[in-house]
Every structure is written in structure tokens, then in C-alpha cells.
Amino acid sequence: MKPKWMAAALVLSCAFALAQETHNPPAATSRPVVDDYYGIKITDPYRHLENTADPDVAGWMKAQSDFARQTLDRITGRAQILADIEKYTNAAPASVSDVHRQAGGRCFFIKTLSGEAVGKLYMRQGADGKDELLVDSDKFAGPNGEPPAINYYEPSIDGGHVAFGISQGGSESATLRIIDTKTKKILPEEIDREEFGSVDWRADNQSFFYNRLQKLTNDMPPTEKFLRTRIYLHKLGEPVDKDVAVWGINVAPNVAFTPMDDGWISTVPGSKWAIGVVEHGVKRELTVYYAPANAVGTPEVAWKKLCDVDAQVTEYALSGGDDVYLMTHDDAPRFKLIRVDLKSPDAQHAQVVVPQAKTVLHGLKAAKDALYVTEGDGAVLRVLRVPFDGSKPSRIKLPFDGSVYVHDLDVRDTQMSYTITSWTRGPQTYEYDPATDESKLTDLQPAGPYDNLPDLESREVMAPSYDGTLVPLSIICKRDTKLDGANPTIVMAYGGYGITMDPYFSPSSLAWLNRGGVYAVAHVRGGGELGEAWHLGAYKLTKPNVWRDTIACAKYLIEQKYTSPAKLALTGGSNGGITVGRAVDERPDLFAAANI
């Protein structure tokens, strides 16, 4: 998750500006509505604001927008801050993400050129090859010019085709399309209701599995949209309306799905097995089934359960043979890795290939001869190579400490590629050769002029929370920052679903840091930085720890003289809105501004 650094900075500036003025936003009219819940009357004075078709509501929203615009325009120096954000953001020639590496070094990736709003899909033959544009997202604009975006993509095993999801106007309601990578022609198939994709190509390179939302009828409420999703099988050239559901609710008689469950099917080249996964809403733990891959989509398929949620498996990887590797926190809060032979599976007595250690396991990718397991040590991520031949796992040598992302790999190839970045260093992409244990820098991700400024540094500290728990806190600032309590500071917190706040480089943050600002990331309980116990430390009855840890990090920044309450802002999006809102409610004296 990437925090909204500059949005919070502008909120902080706005707070300081408004402290000297007395302007008030346009007030909304009150139209009380009373609901009776089992004899308890609840009054809602503003429910009418949900009706955006009401001219009065539309007028109030327009007045709010005008007020916000006028307020922001009054902030001294705001125009220059925005100009600097644009300068730093567009300084690098391009930004590359979502890399898929195939056997022989062929790579697919999303690349956003400097000045572009959204990325396009490219292909490259080999680490030093020439980039070929495959999908120009600009050509998929909506009927009224709505800007398009590529939501996801998946190349076929031979690289001959790529399935991709395209949406317009920020809707994320994707339509799945297919491109022939040789002719660069878009195939006629259009599959709608493809918000999530989950595309998995079969070995024939002519068919794939995909996740599709149900079709809402006129008598169904919009809240039904994301329920009862199913996996379908599509063959190139066949009519989409003839696609057969192969996974999901009421599909396989011995596989249990609830309406809220989601799922997908996975296969890899060389393995005769397919993995069927049931995902239970926001629960991290998966239910995993397996079946012969060539039987999926036929009446003869017989799915067998490998493990249920009580096995506490959160990730898996198929090898090119009969083995599946499972990452679990069963009796291992920092996670362990086990191996199961699908010829005679027994997940309860599986072989432990990476036992629980001081580091926390975060993810795994499979190559031909080894697994590459990402492990976290505080705010530093490393990569563990786990050979399939049973020899001892080893950490690969990385060019610097930071956050490392192993690209999607190919089980037919021994090579691995990854991207590494940190709070103060721009992303770099490397090819790793296990034969030499060396990484070679590639130009897949071009360098920017501000990618490694010598006057910036990050500091990893531990802030004591109210109950004595030490909370990791990342502080990014200039090396010569004076600890005098006078530095404008933004602290970001999230704390939910076991999600980690991994280091990443944001060029736009330089507009804040170069003005003497401090940026801090609070790795509070509820996240996954210190394993499953850390996640459960702010979950349900323990949820208050998420904002109390945030308060503790704010107090640390003040006590250590990084900042003062008059110069401290708090930010956090999505689930972080709970964190921010409750922290400000409980300790409003600590913050000058908050952004959700």
C-alpha cells in the first residue's frame, strides 16, 4: 500500500492556513429521518444527502467543492509545491510495474512514461531486449472520452497471447480482451463483468480460466454485485456465452462455497495438477483443493480438499512436478513453509522446508529448481532461495537494504528477476543467476535523477506503546534535520488485514522532504510486519491497539523533538480511516491536521 504523502502535506498546510482565518464551509440543511429498530428510535438528519440527484444536494456539493478550491488556493506556496511534485514525479523516463518473467528471459510489464497518466502493456525479449508496445491503453477510451486503464493482464504460457482487463473512467469495471503478441491484433472476444480477472492459461495456450461477476437482474439490488462469483473456462474463438462454469458456488458438488466466497484456479507448466482455491472474504486463510489439470472443465473432474482454513494457509506455490508448497502460520506466528506431495497428500504431516524463524515470511514464487521466499526483518525485506533438491536454503545477495519484489516467474526456467527499492532509493530491476549467486542490473526500470539523493536518510526505531509493546516506526527525513520540535511532520498508519507497510520510494515526497518536512510510517498492530500475532494484536476485541499504537508513535515523534503537536499531521486511507479517526478522537491535542 502506498500512502498519500503529498495529499497529507497539503492537508497540513491547509490546517496552518485556516488556523489564522475564520472561514466556514457551506452548511448542509437538516431533514431528520427517524428509524425504529426494535423499539429504539435512531434519528438521521442528513440521509437526504445520499440522493445526489436532488438539485439541493447537488448545489450543496458544488458549494463544498468551490469552498475547498478557494481554501486550497489561499495556501501560501501551494502552486510551487504542486509544480515541484510534477517535476519530481516526471523526472524518471518511465515507471515499470507488474513484471511477468517467462522462460528464456521474455518479460511482460506495465510501463508508464513520464507525463502519462496511465500505463501501457509492453513486451521485451531478454533483459537487454527492445521494448515492444503491445496494448496502448489510450485506444480503449470510453464512448465519451473516459480515460482507460489496464487493470490486470496474464500472458499465455508460450507468450503468444495476453489476456488483459481494461476499464474506463476509473470504474474498475473491466472488460477482458485478448491480444495476439505476434500480429499485435486484438481478438474479437469481449468478456464483461471482469473486475478481478484471475486469468490462468492452460497448457494448450488456447484456453484459460477466468473469474466473472454474476449478471444482475432488474429485481436484484446493487449490493449483490460481488456475490456468487464463478470461474469459467474460455477457448479462443469460441462464443463467450458458451463458456462453462468450472469453479464457484453450486458448481462442484463436493466443494463448499458461500455467496460471499471468491476463488480461482491455478496451473503451471509441467505439473499435471490444478489447484482450486476458495477465498473467504477478507479472511487471509484459504481453503485449498486439487484435481488433475486435464480433468478440470469435464464432468469427470474430482476435486479433493488439501486443507481448510484451520490449516491457516495464506499462500501457496505449485512446482513443475507433484509438489505444492504452503505458507502457514499454524503454530508459527511468523509463518513457516511446508511441502506436500499431491500424489499422496497429507497437509497435517507435511515436510517443513522453512521453519519459523526471527524473520517473517511474506510470499513465495516458484522457478524451475527453487522457490524464492520473501522474508521480512522489520522494515527490510530479503529473499530466501529454497532449492527443490532438499539442499539448505540460502539468502540471495541484494544490492542494498529495502523492499524487494520477486517478479512472477516461470517454472521452466532457473533464472529469477526482482525489483528493489527503499524509502530513499528509487526502484531498480535485476536479473539473478543462481549459478553464480550474482544479480545483474537491467535497464527495464530506467533510473531517475533524484533516485538516490545523498542528503536523505531513513531511521528505523521502536516506539513504546501504552502497554509496553514496541512498535516499529520508519522515519524519513534529511540527514541534517534538527531535533528541535519545529519540523512539519506527517505520520502515516494503516493497521489491518495483516498488510505490511513495506518501504518504497515516492519521487513526489521530495517536494515535502526538501522543504524540511519529516515523513514517518507507523507499523502498528493489525498489520503483518511482525507476523500473525502482530495482525491479531489489533483484531476484533484488540482493535483499539491500532489507534493507541498510532498515538504512541505520534508521542515518540514529539518527545524525540522531531516535531510538535502544532506541526504534526496524521494520514491513512481505506481501513486506515478507522486508525486516523479514532486516534484523533482519543488524542486531538497531538495533531494539527488529519487526512483520510
Side-chain angles (χ1 to χ4, degrees):
M1 169 171 289
K2 295 184 178 181
K4 297 177 284 187
W5 293 27
M6 298 314 359
L10 291 176
V11 168
L12 182 59
S13 298
C14 184
F16 296 152
L18 291 179
Q20 302 173 4
E21 303 184 28
T22 58
H23 299 276
N24 295 314
T29 58
S30 174
R31 301 178 190 173
V33 175
V34 179
D35 292 311
D36 190 322
Y37 295 102
Y38 307 101
I40 300 175
K41 290 181 169 53
I42 305 295
T43 301
D44 183 350
Y46 298 112
R47 185 176 300 175
H48 66 284
L49 296 179
E50 298 175 5
N51 181 14
T52 55
D54 184 333
D56 290 341
V57 175
W60 173 78
M61 294 175 68
K62 177 64 166 59
Q64 286 280 328
S65 176
D66 292 343
F67 173 81
R69 178 79 276 145
Q70 294 164 9
T71 301
L72 292 173
D73 287 345
R74 288 199 304 271
I75 298 173
T76 303
R78 178 177 181 274
Q80 186 56 54
I81 290 174
L82 291 177
D84 285 351
I85 289 174
E86 184 175 0
K87 177 183 73 172
Y88 293 130
T89 300
N90 293 322
S95 174
V96 169
S97 63
D98 199 9
V99 180
H100 290 239
R101 190 189 191 284
Q102 293 192 318
R106 178 172 49 221
C107 289
F108 296 86
F109 52 93
I110 299 293
K111 181 168 69 173
T112 307
L113 297 177
S114 176
E116 288 185 335
V118 295
K120 301 174 181 179
L121 178 61
Y122 289 78
M123 178 177 69
R124 173 187 286 205
Q125 297 291 343
D128 300 318
K130 180 181 179 182
D131 293 351
E132 299 180 50
L133 177 62
L134 285 181
V135 178
D136 184 349
S137 52
D138 290 342
K139 294 183 178 180
F140 291 87
N144 298 310
E146 298 90 343
I150 298 173
N151 299 60
Y152 54 83
Y153 76 92
E154 185 69 34
S156 61
I157 295 169
D158 65 358
H161 295 89
V162 178
F164 62 95
I166 196 86
S167 63
Q168 290 88 25
S171 69
E172 297 185 354
S173 295
T175 297
L176 191 148
R177 305 299 306 272
I178 306 149
I179 186 171
D180 185 315
T181 62
K182 297 180 181 64
T183 65
K184 307 297 190 295
K185 291 184 178 179
I186 304 293
L187 274 58
E189 288 101 320
E190 294 187 45
I191 306 177
D192 63 359
R193 310 195 305 277
E194 271 296 289
E195 200 138 332
F196 304 114
S198 297
V199 174
D200 187 271
W201 286 85
R202 297 210 300 178
D204 61 7
N205 294 297
Q206 296 295 307
S207 59
F208 56 82
F209 304 109
Y210 65 94
N211 182 308
R212 196 178 197 189
L213 301 180
Q214 66 175 331
K215 186 175 183 179
L216 295 182
T217 58
N218 293 334
D219 60 342
M220 297 172 67
T223 52
E224 295 280 309
K225 177 179 179 180
F226 296 108
L227 300 181
R228 303 178 188 87
T229 65
R230 287 178 170 177
I231 299 294
Y232 291 81
L233 174 61
H234 178 73
K235 297 180 180 179
L236 299 185
E238 294 290 330
V240 174
D241 58 8
K242 291 187 177 181
D243 289 353
V244 177
V246 296
W247 192 246
I249 192 166
N250 299 327
V251 174
N254 63 325
V255 178
F257 272 84
T258 71
M260 292 186 63
D261 288 340
D262 200 355
W264 61 88
I265 291 176
S266 297
T267 60
V268 298
S271 176
K272 65 181 181 181
W273 302 103
I275 295 293
V277 174
V278 184
E279 185 179 45
H280 308 282
V282 296
K283 183 186 289 290
R284 302 174 72 199
E285 293 75 19
L286 307 172
T287 301
V288 182
Y289 293 79
Y290 67 101
N294 58 8
V296 179
T298 71
E300 292 76 28
V301 64
W303 290 101
K304 295 181 180 180
K305 185 183 290 187
L306 181 64
C307 62
D308 213 332
V309 292
D310 58 354
Q312 301 181 60
V313 169
T314 59
E315 288 202 42
Y316 67 93
L318 264 173
S319 71
D322 295 309
D323 293 333
V324 61
Y325 292 80
L326 308 173
M327 197 174 79
T328 171
H329 59 81
D330 183 23
D331 197 29
R334 292 176 179 263
F335 291 87
K336 62 186 176 184
L337 190 65
I338 61 176
R339 182 185 68 85
V340 178
D341 185 344
L342 292 177
K343 297 194 305 297
S344 53
D346 183 359
Q348 296 299 319
H349 302 89
Q351 177 190 4
V352 177
V353 292
V354 179
Q356 178 178 238
K358 291 183 179 180
T359 56
V360 179
L361 303 186
H362 288 305
L364 60 159
K365 299 285 178 68
K368 182 178 182 179
D369 59 346
L371 281 178
Y372 289 91
V373 182
T374 306
E375 54 176 355
D377 185 4
V380 174
L381 297 184
R382 300 189 175 96
V383 178
L384 194 66
R385 183 175 182 271
V386 184
F388 289 147
D389 63 9
S391 54
K392 186 178 179 180
S394 60
R395 289 193 181 101
I396 72 171
K397 295 183 294 186
L398 298 174
F400 57 88
D401 286 341
S403 178
V404 60
Y405 170 72
V406 177
H407 301 151
D408 284 352
L409 305 179
D410 194 319
V411 297
R412 300 167 297 174
D413 196 2
T414 60
Q415 303 297 102
M416 185 269 277
S417 63
Y418 63 90
T419 296
I420 186 169
T421 184
S422 76
W423 298 119
T424 61
R425 296 188 65 167
Q428 297 177 345
T429 299
Y430 289 82
E431 287 270 335
Y432 172 74
D433 185 353
T436 61
D437 191 29
E438 296 293 335
S439 295
K440 175 187 175 183
L441 179 64
T442 77
D443 65 352
L444 189 66
Q445 170 59 65
Y450 307 107
D451 279 4
N452 189 17
L453 297 180
D455 60 341
L456 294 182
E457 69 174 0
S458 61
R459 304 168 184 175
E460 303 298 334
V461 301
M462 303 295 280
S465 194
Y466 76 99
D467 59 356
T469 300
L470 296 179
V471 181
L473 178 65
S474 301
I475 304 172
I476 303 95
C477 58
K478 301 192 78 170
R479 293 185 184 277
D480 60 358
T481 296
K482 294 181 180 179
L483 301 186
D484 57 5
N487 305 298
T489 299
I490 303 167
V491 59
M492 184 270 182
Y494 182 78
Y497 306 107
I499 293 173
T500 60
M501 300 291 104
D502 299 328
Y504 88 103
F505 180 71
S506 171
S508 63
S509 69
L510 298 175
W512 175 253
L513 297 170
N514 286 340
R515 284 174 166 78
V518 174
Y519 186 77
V521 177
H523 305 279
V524 296
R525 279 174 280 189
E529 287 87 347
L530 299 181
E532 184 62 12
W534 196 249
H535 169 217
L536 297 179
Y539 177 74
K540 294 186 177 179
L541 293 179
T542 58
K543 189 63 176 177
N545 286 334
V546 76
W547 59 83
R548 290 171 184 165
D549 286 356
T550 301
I551 289 169
C553 290
K555 290 173 64 178
Y556 179 94
L557 292 167
I558 294 168
E559 291 167 357
Q560 298 299 315
K561 304 295 184 182
Y562 280 95
T563 190
S564 60
K567 293 182 176 292
L568 180 59
L570 179 60
T571 184
S574 188
N575 172 77
I578 299 173
T579 307
V580 172
R582 292 306 306 270
V584 172
D585 283 346
E586 198 160 300
R587 290 298 305 271
D589 57 305
L590 291 179
F591 307 101
N595 173 62
I596 298 175

